Amino acid sequence: MTQEDDWDRDLLLDPAWEKQQRKTFTAWCNSHLRKAGTQIENIEEDFRNGLKLMLLLEVISGERLPKPDKGKMRFHKIANVNKALDFICSKGVKLVSIGAEEIVDGNGKMTLGMIWTIILRFAIQDISVEETSAKEGLLLWCQRKTAPYRNVNVQNFHISWKDGLALCALIHRHRPDLIDYSKLRKDDPIGNLNTAFEVAEKFLDIPKMLDAEDIVNTPKPDEKAIMTYVSCFYHAFAGAEQAETAANRICKVLAVNQENEKLMEEYEKLASELLEWIRRTIPWLENRVAEQTMRAMQQKLEDFRDYRRIHKPPRVQEKCQLEINFNTLQTKLRLSNRPAFMPSEGKMVSDIANAWKGLEGVEKGYEEWLLTEIRRLERLDHLAEKFKQKCSMHESWTGGKEELLSQKDYESASLMEIRALMRKHEAFESDLAAHQDRVEQIAAIAQELNELDYHDAATVNARCQGICDQWDNLGTLTQKRRDSLERVEKLWETIDQLYLEFAKRAAPFNNWMDGAMEDLQDMFIVHSIEEIQSLITAHDQFKATLPEADKERMATMGIHNEILKIAQTYGIKLSGINPYTNLSPQDISTKWDTVKHLVPLRDQMLQEEVARQQANERLRRQFAAQANIIGPWIQTKMEEIGHVSVDIAGSLEEQMNSLKQYEHNIINYKSNMDKLEGDHQLSQESLIFDNKHTNYTMEHVRVGWEQLLTTIARTINEVENQILTRDAKGISQEQLNEFRASFNHFDRKRNGMMDPDDFRACLISMGYDLVSATIHFSGQITLSKRSEFYVYSGEVEFARIMTLVDPNNTGVVTFQAFIDFMTRETAETDTAEQVMASFKILASDKNYITMDELRRELPPEQAEYCISRMTRYIGADGPSGALDYISFSSALYGESDL
């Protein structure tokens, strides 16, 4: 910089101008020297020794000058003045016609010229308005600020200010509360000027540098004096505007930080609630203590269906929303240049996913266990009822047999009676052998009940043991009675052949009828039409044997009729009792009628079971028809959503609209899932556990549906984040399409992720030079080592890039991470240094800030936010209660120290 006007040694100043300059420059110097606790009275005399001149330069520049000479001799004063002049020259100012000797000698003209040079350099040169600076910039600033005011037309720095209205307009423009401009009159210049001087000195801390009378009475006021005084207004008001800008910047940064903290708190709360629910649910699903009754186990199954239908779906939505909130928060933090959010230990998205995976694993095992236990209890109930029925029939048959075998009626019987007793005993042995199979069946059923862990196994075992013990005793008694009868039989030889023949034929037939009645009343359990058809076939075969059985009955009854005929023919009086059997013709007829009555009842039971199995088959087909439609539909939608997420034909908004339409269609499709759930519930209530008409189970369809809901929500969130990134970083749609096309080209597996090698090739194909990015310092490397260095530098740069796009070392690069990297350099975000500089402005260049300053400059909410989080300032130059804004600014951006 050169002096604006060369200060001619021989040219005399206009006396009025010189008076104005002397008063103005003196006031200007004192406005700065008072900060150092001193002032000047006479501008020519007080600067002669150079001490206050050096002090003035230190105050206005904020820098330290060389140590002044303390002597009072002339050469000491010249040395001090030269130090001041050298400092002025070091700031780019070319001094013309001003030497240290003139200042030391008290040359008023040279002293005023030097002060004007200082004012130009330190008060006016740095003024910049719309690419204009110094005098032109200050003039343009005045014109912009006073343009709306009547009777004000600023064209220069002399006569445009004579009436005082321009100064009053400047004050009113920035502080309308200090002056009522509407009451000012153009014909009262002295009043206007004095009003401006008094208000500026009292409220704006601008000392009075001019006299109203001097300005009004001078045809052309001194330009330098006016410029000096007006520059004080610029710095006073420009500082206020700068403080306001700084406050706005801080408010913006704090608002972003508060919003991010709120999102973090919401994530922590939602993650804690979801993990707590999983923690409470897993022990319930891991409980494998079986109930003892079918009803209790079916209630467990109903509770599990309520869990899958009512309690779990909201948690699935919470898990999906949690992932979406986490991704959105990380995107906002990244776009605002904040460190990534790290949830509390155990609450990462991966931790929640692992917990959820464990829940689903336990859930699947629990359902399989429930169904197995229900089948087991069903089998147990059937076996227990069958055991009771066979035991009752056996006990009914053995009732009184021990007493009968223990009788000694043969000791007083006649020969025929003895022989009759012998035949009767043989018939009993035949009957006993026929019942051996039933005893074995009872024992086999009891053993199976024990193997299946029947809850009342002790009672079953006790009853079975009693029957076996009784059976062994019957065998022993039977053998003893046979021995006795054979011993007596040698003494008796008359046998009634007809009674014997009747007994021999009646006993097997009676056993056959007992077996037939037992089979006709036997309980059964089937699970398919084929099984019930097998029972119907067996029953038809049984009915086919009835004609032969009827012939046997008629033959047996014919023997009895022959006895009656012989007795009638020969006049034999019968006792009416067959000595060889307890079976009477009436018994045979009664049992035969019973068998004929049970046959149609058995037919009815089998037909009812056929109807039930047919109904079950209809349920299977109904479920299969729906599942075979819903399953492929879900798969198709998953593929279509995948195509939309990688399609570059349209804009992101078009992709979003398409995805929203898919989401709408999926939500509308929920009614089909509900209907399928209803069919599945009907099948389970009917105890249908298999379905050959479809490969889809309800579990498969549920998992597919949940994956579809998660995929559409996650895909929408990814596109929203891409839109957020595009808008925040000013990326055009064409750039996004180019990024997507390059990403899709190198995404060889078509899974939305690139391997590191594919990512490197993608960067090179897009013109990113991995070597040039890191070897700007390679000029000192010898030629023999340069090729090796290029390879090493490229690897180092690529490793650095991979830490940005894959911070978790997953080994893949997602499209969102790819876009973030490609647009990272264009981001315009606030930094910790910018926030720190803003706080420094509010603190008036101090290294600390007070609570009062924060509350005065910031809105109440942001001010209290800062006060609650700033640490106490520990420097010795701060007052009690001072706050450390430097560490606070660093903490906002995750930096421990700048």
Side-chain angles (χ1 to χ4, degrees):
M1 153 178 193
T2 61
Q3 280 180 269
E4 186 177 288
D5 298 316
D6 291 346
W7 215 272
D8 194 333
R9 290 174 173 270
D10 301 324
L11 181 64
L12 294 176
L13 283 173
D14 182 282
W17 287 9
E18 183 176 354
K19 178 182 178 182
Q20 292 176 12
Q21 286 186 13
R22 191 183 309 278
K23 181 178 178 67
T24 301
F25 291 177
T26 300
W28 184 86
C29 291
N30 285 333
S31 70
H32 293 285
L33 287 173
R34 67 183 179 184
K35 298 176 183 178
T38 185
Q39 64 179 10
I40 62 174
E41 298 293 339
N42 187 305
I43 197 167
E44 293 94 340
E45 294 296 327
D46 292 346
F47 284 143
R48 290 181 62 186
N49 61 5
L51 295 177
K52 291 190 177 181
L53 179 60
M54 294 179 68
L55 181 60
L56 174 65
L57 290 174
E58 287 185 346
V59 171
I60 62 178
S61 68
E63 300 179 20
R64 297 290 295 178
L65 271 68
K67 186 176 181 181
D69 293 352
K70 295 298 184 180
K72 297 184 179 180
M73 300 182 69
R74 177 179 174 79
F75 73 89
H76 290 125
K77 298 177 182 181
I78 292 175
N80 290 336
V81 174
N82 274 328
K83 291 177 182 179
L85 296 179
D86 290 342
F87 178 78
I88 295 172
C89 292
S90 71
K91 296 302 178 180
V93 178
K94 181 180 179 182
L95 296 173
V96 179
S97 303
I98 299 177
E101 291 79 3
E102 286 86 346
I103 304 302
V104 172
D105 292 338
N107 187 321
K109 176 183 175 183
M110 294 298 107
T111 302
L112 291 175
M114 177 191 65
I115 298 301
W116 171 242
T117 300
I118 294 173
I119 293 173
L120 275 178
R121 173 60 184 84
F122 293 99
I124 298 177
Q125 178 183 335
D126 293 335
I127 295 174
S128 177
V129 178
E130 297 184 6
E131 300 182 356
T132 62
S133 60
K135 177 180 178 181
E136 291 77 8
L138 181 60
L139 182 62
L140 180 59
W141 179 78
C142 294
Q143 291 171 343
R144 292 284 188 271
K145 297 299 180 179
T146 61
Y149 291 86
R150 57 183 176 81
N151 297 325
V152 178
N153 183 18
V154 178
Q155 297 297 326
N156 48 55
F157 285 107
H158 36 79
I159 61 175
S160 295
W161 303 84
K162 288 188 65 174
D163 58 8
L165 291 177
L167 287 173
C168 291
L170 278 180
I171 297 173
H172 184 269
R173 179 64 180 268
H174 294 88
R175 291 291 303 275
D177 57 309
L178 300 180
I179 292 179
D180 186 354
Y181 189 84
S182 63
K183 294 182 178 180
L184 300 178
R185 295 182 297 109
K186 187 174 180 63
D187 58 359
D188 185 18
I190 293 180
N192 296 338
L193 288 169
N194 285 329
T195 298
F197 295 157
E198 292 171 2
V199 169
E201 185 174 26
K202 182 176 180 181
F203 297 102
L204 303 180
D205 198 25
I206 299 175
K208 183 178 180 181
M209 299 181 182
L210 300 168
D211 285 328
E213 291 78 5
D214 293 341
I215 295 176
V216 173
N217 296 329
T218 303
K220 181 181 178 182
D222 181 62
E223 185 177 51
K224 296 178 179 59
I226 298 296
M227 284 180 63
T228 301
Y229 187 62
V230 172
S231 68
C232 294
F233 284 90
Y234 172 84
H235 289 294
F237 293 135
E241 292 176 356
Q242 189 178 19
E244 181 180 356
T245 302
N248 291 336
R249 181 187 295 274
I250 293 173
C251 289
K252 176 184 175 183
V253 171
L254 296 180
V256 171
N257 211 58
Q258 288 174 306
E259 181 182 359
N260 291 340
E261 287 182 357
K262 182 178 180 182
L263 290 175
M264 294 175 190
E265 292 172 358
E266 292 175 354
Y267 174 90
E268 291 283 339
K269 178 182 178 182
L270 190 58
S272 299
E273 292 175 353
L274 183 58
L275 289 172
E276 176 62 19
W277 178 81
I278 294 175
R279 185 191 66 77
R280 294 197 311 269
T281 304
I282 286 179
W284 173 65
L285 294 174
E286 288 178 339
N287 181 14
R288 298 296 193 272
V289 178
E291 300 294 340
Q292 296 181 350
T293 64
M294 174 70 79
R295 182 175 182 180
M297 287 305 296
Q298 286 177 337
Q299 182 60 45
K300 276 182 174 282
L301 181 60
E302 182 64 26
D303 293 341
F304 180 74
R305 282 201 297 264
D306 289 341
Y307 157 78
R308 293 299 301 271
R309 212 171 41 240
I310 299 173
H311 302 295
K312 185 181 177 184
R315 300 298 179 177
V316 173
Q317 295 177 2
E318 289 180 5
K319 175 177 174 291
C320 179
Q321 188 62 42
L322 193 69
E323 295 175 356
I324 291 173
N325 290 350
F326 181 84
N327 293 335
T328 301
L329 175 59
Q330 297 293 48
T331 299
K332 288 184 176 181
L333 289 172
R334 184 167 54 252
L335 293 177
S336 60
N337 200 24
R338 301 301 198 279
F341 170 56
M342 289 296 295
S344 302
E345 183 177 357
K347 296 180 183 178
M348 294 289 292
V349 172
S350 58
D351 297 328
I352 295 172
N354 291 335
W356 190 266
K357 183 178 180 181
L359 173 69
E360 292 184 333
V362 175
E363 176 181 303
K364 182 178 180 182
Y366 186 77
E367 185 175 23
E368 293 174 352
W369 173 77
L370 280 176
L371 297 177
T372 301
E373 282 300 312
I374 288 176
R375 293 191 190 101
R376 185 182 70 83
L377 288 176
E378 183 183 22
R379 175 68 177 164
L380 282 175
D381 289 346
H382 170 70
L383 289 175
E385 191 62 28
K386 191 172 184 178
F387 176 84
K388 292 177 183 177
Q389 184 182 24
K390 289 187 176 293
C391 287
S392 297
M393 293 182 67
H394 179 79
E395 290 167 349
S396 176
W397 179 82
T398 58
K401 293 296 189 293
E402 291 173 300
E403 292 79 8
L404 182 63
L405 291 173
S406 299
Q407 289 179 359
K408 296 183 178 181
D409 50 343
Y410 52 82
E411 292 180 350
S412 58
S414 62
L415 178 58
M416 290 188 66
E417 290 174 343
I418 293 299
R419 297 185 71 175
L421 289 175
M422 187 62 191
R423 299 300 179 266
K424 183 178 180 180
H425 187 69
E426 289 175 352
F428 173 78
E429 287 180 330
S430 178
D431 200 9
L432 185 68
H435 283 79
Q436 176 67 32
D437 182 62
R438 181 184 293 160
V439 175
E440 292 175 356
Q441 290 178 5
I442 291 173
I445 294 173
Q447 182 179 357
E448 187 172 0
L449 286 171
N450 279 276
E451 291 174 351
L452 293 177
D453 196 23
Y454 183 56
H455 69 279
D456 199 15
T459 302
V460 170
N461 293 336
R463 192 171 185 181
C464 181
Q465 187 63 43
I467 289 175
C468 291
D469 292 343
Q470 185 188 41
W471 186 257
D472 292 338
N473 189 40
L474 284 175
T476 301
L477 292 175
T478 299
Q479 186 60 41
K480 287 182 179 180
R481 185 170 179 81
R482 166 171 276 281
D483 293 341
S484 298
L485 290 174
E486 286 179 349
R487 187 176 65 253
V488 177
E489 185 183 16
K490 296 177 181 179
L491 302 174
W492 304 96
E493 297 178 349
T494 305
I495 299 172
D496 190 342
Q497 290 298 329
L498 291 175
Y499 273 130
L500 181 58
E501 184 67 14
F502 177 87
K504 287 183 176 181
R505 298 195 71 164
F509 185 69
N510 180 68
N511 289 337
W512 177 86
M513 288 190 296
D514 287 341
M517 288 188 294
E518 181 179 351
D519 291 339
L520 290 172
Q521 298 178 80
D522 189 22
M523 299 179 65
F524 56 85
I525 178 172
V526 295
H527 296 95
S528 66
I529 294 179
E530 290 77 11
E531 292 178 3
I532 190 61
Q533 195 61 48
S534 176
L535 292 178
I536 292 175
T537 301
H539 184 60
D540 291 338
Q541 292 174 353
F542 167 78
K543 290 193 292 184
T545 64
L546 289 179
E548 284 296 325
D550 190 44
K551 291 181 180 179
E552 181 64 20
R553 181 189 65 82
M554 294 178 65
T556 303
M557 296 302 293
I559 296 173
H560 177 67
N561 293 334
E562 184 64 20
I563 293 173
L564 294 177
K565 182 178 179 182
I566 292 174
Q568 185 179 4
T569 302
Y570 298 98
I572 299 173
K573 186 177 180 181
L574 300 175
S575 62
I577 299 175
N578 190 325
Y580 304 113
T581 181
N582 288 327
L583 292 172
S584 65
Q586 184 63 35
D587 294 333
I588 299 297
S589 298
T590 300
K591 287 188 177 183
W592 178 253
D593 292 338
T594 301
V595 169
K596 291 195 296 181
H597 175 71
L598 290 174
V599 168
L601 294 178
R602 184 72 170 183
D603 286 333
Q604 181 180 356
M605 290 175 61
L606 292 173
Q607 291 304 319
E608 289 175 353
E609 184 62 26
V610 167
R612 191 174 75 86
Q613 291 301 324
Q614 289 175 344
N616 289 350
E617 185 66 9
R618 285 193 298 272
L619 288 176
R620 290 188 182 96
R621 293 180 182 276
Q622 182 175 333
F623 176 86
Q626 286 290 320
N628 290 336
I629 293 173
I630 294 176
W633 185 89
I634 291 175
Q635 183 62 32
T636 299
K637 294 304 177 185
M638 290 284 286
E639 295 173 356
E640 291 176 357
I641 291 171
H643 292 323
V644 170
S645 66
V646 300
D647 188 14
I648 64 173
S651 65
L652 290 177
E653 284 74 13
E654 291 172 346
Q655 290 185 28
M656 177 61 70
N657 292 335
S658 178
L659 290 172
K660 288 293 186 180
Q661 184 60 41
Y662 274 109
E663 183 182 42
H664 178 72
N665 293 339
I666 291 170
I667 293 173
N668 291 338
Y669 203 77
K670 181 66 166 57
S671 59
N672 295 321
M673 279 293 298
D674 295 339
K675 185 176 184 304
L676 189 64
E677 286 281 5
D679 293 344
H680 177 64
Q681 181 175 351
L682 292 175
S683 298
Q684 288 199 329
E685 289 174 351
S686 300
L687 301 179
I688 300 173
F689 306 109
D690 58 352
N691 194 334
K692 64 183 180 180
H693 303 295
T694 181
N695 292 327
Y696 292 97
T697 66
M698 194 64 228
E699 179 63 24
H700 293 156
V701 177
R702 285 195 194 104
V703 171
W705 180 257
E706 292 171 0
Q707 290 178 348
L708 179 60
L709 292 176
T710 302
T711 298
I712 186 63
R714 185 182 296 114
T715 305
I716 289 175
N717 178 248
E718 289 176 355
V719 175
E720 288 175 342
N721 287 340
Q722 292 177 24
I723 293 173
L724 185 61
T725 301
R726 181 198 66 189
D727 295 341
K729 299 185 177 182
I731 307 173
S732 66
Q733 185 63 44
E734 289 73 19
Q735 288 177 305
L736 275 178
N737 291 343
E738 180 184 357
F739 290 156
R740 172 56 79 180
S742 299
F743 185 92
N744 291 345
H745 176 75
F746 288 94
D747 179 15
R748 307 187 190 281
K749 297 181 180 179
R750 294 298 182 264
N751 60 354
M753 294 177 285
M754 286 192 293
D755 294 333
D757 291 341
D758 294 334
F759 177 56
R760 183 201 299 270
C762 181
L763 289 178
I764 295 174
S765 72
M766 298 186 72
Y768 193 95
D769 191 348
L770 295 175
V771 177
S772 299
T774 58
I775 62 171
H776 59 278
F777 54 83
S778 65
Q780 300 176 357
I781 301 175
T782 63
L783 256 149
S784 61
K785 297 295 184 177
R786 184 162 298 182
S787 61
E788 295 178 9
F789 176 77
Y790 285 170
V791 174
Y792 173 75
S793 298
E795 291 297 325
V796 170
E797 174 62 7
F798 184 71
R800 183 190 70 80
I801 294 173
M802 283 303 296
T803 61
L804 297 177
V805 299
D806 184 22
N808 296 325
N809 293 324
T810 60
V812 294
V813 180
T814 64
F815 181 64
Q816 185 63 40
F818 175 73
I819 288 182
D820 289 342
F821 171 75
M822 295 305 296
T823 60
R824 187 180 300 276
E825 299 300 328
T826 63
E828 295 183 0
T829 58
D830 295 313
T831 66
E833 289 83 358
Q834 291 174 324
V835 175
M836 195 181 304
S838 299
F839 272 117
K840 190 169 185 178
I841 292 172
L842 299 186
S844 300
D845 291 336
K846 300 189 297 293
N847 291 329
Y848 59 86
I849 193 168
T850 66
M851 296 183 187
D852 292 339
E853 288 173 332
L854 286 173
R855 291 189 174 107
R856 183 177 66 246
E857 300 294 344
L858 299 181
E861 182 180 356
Q862 278 74 19
E864 296 306 321
Y865 176 81
C866 292
I867 292 171
S868 64
R869 284 164 171 75
M870 282 188 184
T871 59
R872 297 295 180 185
Y873 180 71
I874 60 176
D877 57 334
S880 176
L883 302 176
D884 185 357
Y885 65 80
I886 296 178
S887 62
F888 175 73
S889 301
S890 300
L892 284 177
Y893 291 86
E895 302 174 5
S896 60
D897 188 8
L898 288 178

